[in-house]
Every structure is written in C-alpha cells, then in structure tokens.
Amino acid sequence: MRKYLNTVNATDDETCRLLTDALSQILPEVLIEGGADEPFYKAAKNNDKAKIIYRSNYPRSLLHELSHYCLAGNRRRNIDDFGYWYSPCGRSFEEQQRFELVEARPQGLEKVMCELVGLKFSPSLDDFSGMPNSQMFLKKLEESYQEMTSNPPSTASKVLEGLKLFKQTAWTKN
C-alpha cells in the first residue's frame, strides 16, 4: 500500500486538485476555482452556485477563502466577497488594525485546516511593507485557533470533519 498524497511532498497543483475534489463533496453548493490573480468570493445568483476563487494554485489561498466562507453567516454569503472591504498594501495604522480584527478568526480556522491537511501555516497581515505581526493580532489568532479546535461553528465543523474523513479514505490508494 502506498500513500497517494502526503501534502508535505505533493505539488501545489496536486494539493489544490485534491482539496477541490474533497470540497466539492463536502460543500456541493459551492464551486471552487483556482488560477486567479486575486482571491474572490462570488455569491450565488439566480440558479448559479456560489464560487470561491483562490489565487493561482496556492493551497493556502484556497483554505483562507474557504475559512471566510465557513465563518460567514447566510447574509454575508449572499454578498460578493462577503461584503468585506479591502485596502491594498500601504494601509494606515488604523486600517491595519481593522484588517487584523476581521482576519484573526478566519486565520485561526485556516491554521486548523493547514494542520489537518499537512500544510505549513504562517500568519498573514496581507501587507508586504515589512510590518511585523502585531502581538494583538497573534493573540486573537491563537484564541481563534483554540476556538476552532474545540468548538468550531457548524459549517467549519462540517468542513473539518469532511476533510478528516476524505484524508483518511480518498487520499489513500492501494
């Protein structure tokens, strides 16, 4: 018996393909698509499914956008990009603080998902100006991580359990 996927040794393309396959079964109401220049969530309209679009072929981008989906309520899932604002690099101190407040919880869930599928996690401030992670952000991220490991919300729980099951079964070949 040989392992088909050990995400530590898999290419990003392989990991994204397997995650997409798993998630299409776990969340059949959502399409997942890679290859974008920027990540985006497209809310379901008319008879179309909602779509999580992740950056390039980066598994971490997929898991990050998935985390936002898992934590968004029904109201936010009906709004493109969940109704979040985005400020590019070079944010003011106040803009960065607001960003950190809304990012700690999704990144806490993303960290759990990364551990589950064998990907390295590192916090992201989404600002490439060289600004270090604030202690407040790291503390909130760790609190969120603890929450997601012990008492995740229902959609997050569904995804985590589905990924565990998928990893134990479909990611192994004879």
Side-chain angles (χ1 to χ4, degrees):
M1 181 185 261
R2 115 180 176 7
K3 291 286 182 190
Y4 178 65
L5 173 69
N6 174 345
T7 54
V8 174
N9 297 320
T11 66
D12 286 347
D13 287 335
E14 291 170 322
T15 301
C16 287
R17 181 180 48 78
L18 289 163
L19 285 171
T20 300
D21 289 348
L23 293 166
S24 70
Q25 294 175 43
I26 298 165
L27 296 171
E29 70 278 12
V30 180
L31 295 174
I32 298 175
E33 180 179 296
D37 289 335
E38 292 296 329
F40 188 75
Y41 171 75
K42 185 169 176 48
K45 302 276 192 286
N46 304 320
N47 292 327
D48 292 338
K49 292 182 177 185
K51 188 184 288 188
I52 293 173
I53 303 167
Y54 61 95
R55 184 170 164 75
S56 197
N57 68 337
Y58 300 138
R60 284 281 312 280
S61 177
L62 189 164
L63 294 180
H64 183 79
E65 296 310 308
L66 177 63
S67 295
H68 278 290
Y69 178 84
C70 288
L71 298 175
N74 288 333
R75 184 181 65 77
R76 282 201 177 260
R77 284 190 194 141
N78 287 316
I79 306 168
D80 285 348
D81 238 4
F82 309 108
Y84 289 124
W85 53 269
Y86 180 76
S87 294
C89 291
R91 297 180 190 117
S92 70
F93 179 76
E94 292 78 19
E95 288 172 326
Q96 188 62 31
Q97 281 187 315
R98 283 197 317 266
F99 176 84
E100 291 178 11
L101 285 173
V102 298
E103 275 296 306
R105 196 161 185 247
Q107 287 192 39
L109 177 56
E110 179 186 351
K111 182 178 178 180
V112 175
M113 289 184 199
C114 283
E115 287 177 355
L116 178 64
V117 301
L119 294 173
K120 183 180 183 298
F121 174 83
S122 56
S124 173
L125 293 179
D126 196 37
D127 187 336
F128 305 106
S129 64
M131 183 184 309
N133 295 310
S134 76
Q135 290 305 307
M136 187 255 335
F137 176 70
L138 295 174
K139 181 177 185 262
K140 293 286 186 195
L141 192 154
E142 184 59 27
E143 289 169 0
S144 296
Y145 169 78
Q146 294 302 324
E147 173 196 0
M148 298 304 154
T149 58
S150 61
N151 190 28
S154 62
T155 303
S157 181
K158 176 182 176 179
V159 167
L160 292 171
E161 290 304 315
L163 287 174
K164 284 178 196 171
L165 181 62
F166 205 85
K167 186 175 180 181
Q168 292 168 356
T169 58
W171 287 356
T172 303
K173 264 190 175 176
N174 290 330

